[in-house]
Amino acid sequence: MEYIENDLKSLQANDVIERAGQFHCYVIENSDNYQIIGVGSIGPFWGSQSESSLFNIFVDPDYQGHGLGRKIIETLETDEYFLRASRIEIPASKTALHFYQKMGYVFKNGMDKVDSEELYRLEKFNSTSKRQTK
């Protein structure tokens, strides 16, 4: 959690604007007050045309456990960046690891240890990739 908080502290508006041109971002709003309670993004993995990455997946702690994280992942998995990719990677915090595993993501290269950023690297192979079926 500390890594996420530090990442958010260093994030500037220009960073978000720049990233928005490279990724597709989805949000879930509270229908009562229109506040954002969940978010997730997908984009190319380091500019790749055949691999993608999921980024910035968060659900407000007050709304966790209500299926919103699952809805975000399911939505991201219908995005064109997911559909065109043969492999999708996601950096996972210790607290999110089991959730992503339930969603079908596995340790990248079998490495079940955190990296220098204190994140697990998970991946999913997309057998229905548009690239593979062309």
Side-chain angles (χ1 to χ4, degrees):
M1 190 66 160
E2 184 179 331
Y3 171 80
I4 294 169
E5 290 173 1
N6 289 336
D7 191 40
L8 290 174
K9 286 177 189 174
S10 66
L11 196 60
Q12 300 295 314
N14 287 341
D15 297 328
V16 175
I17 292 167
E18 182 181 328
R19 289 180 189 178
Q22 301 167 14
F23 306 107
H24 296 159
C25 185
Y26 297 85
V27 298
I28 297 175
E29 289 181 334
N30 179 321
S31 60
D32 294 331
N33 60 16
Y34 303 104
Q35 290 205 335
I36 294 174
I37 58 175
V39 63
S41 301
I42 187 168
F45 181 76
W46 296 100
S48 173
Q49 293 295 310
S50 62
E51 297 180 306
S52 293
S53 261
L54 303 182
F55 301 97
N56 305 331
I57 299 171
F58 300 104
V59 173
D60 183 314
D62 292 340
Y63 294 88
Q64 291 177 359
H66 298 277
L68 299 180
R70 176 175 293 280
K71 182 69 174 167
I72 291 169
I73 296 295
E74 290 171 349
T75 300
L76 292 169
E77 290 182 351
T78 65
D79 185 275
E80 66 183 277
Y81 284 128
F82 184 92
L83 297 175
R84 77 174 194 189
S86 57
R87 188 184 77 86
I88 299 84
E89 184 169 317
I90 183 169
S93 67
K94 293 174 185 176
T95 57
L97 175 62
H98 296 294
F99 168 73
Y100 294 128
Q101 288 175 317
K102 285 194 298 189
M103 297 300 297
Y105 291 82
V106 298
F107 292 113
K108 180 180 178 182
N109 300 323
M111 297 293 297
D112 63 349
K113 306 278 188 247
V114 293
D115 63 13
S116 62
E117 296 179 85
E118 295 295 311
L119 297 170
Y120 293 98
R121 300 295 165 173
L122 302 178
E123 63 187 354
K124 180 186 267 190
F125 292 93
N126 183 7
S127 61
T128 61
S129 165
K130 289 181 181 178
R131 285 203 160 270
Q132 293 178 348
T133 58
K134 283 186 178 178

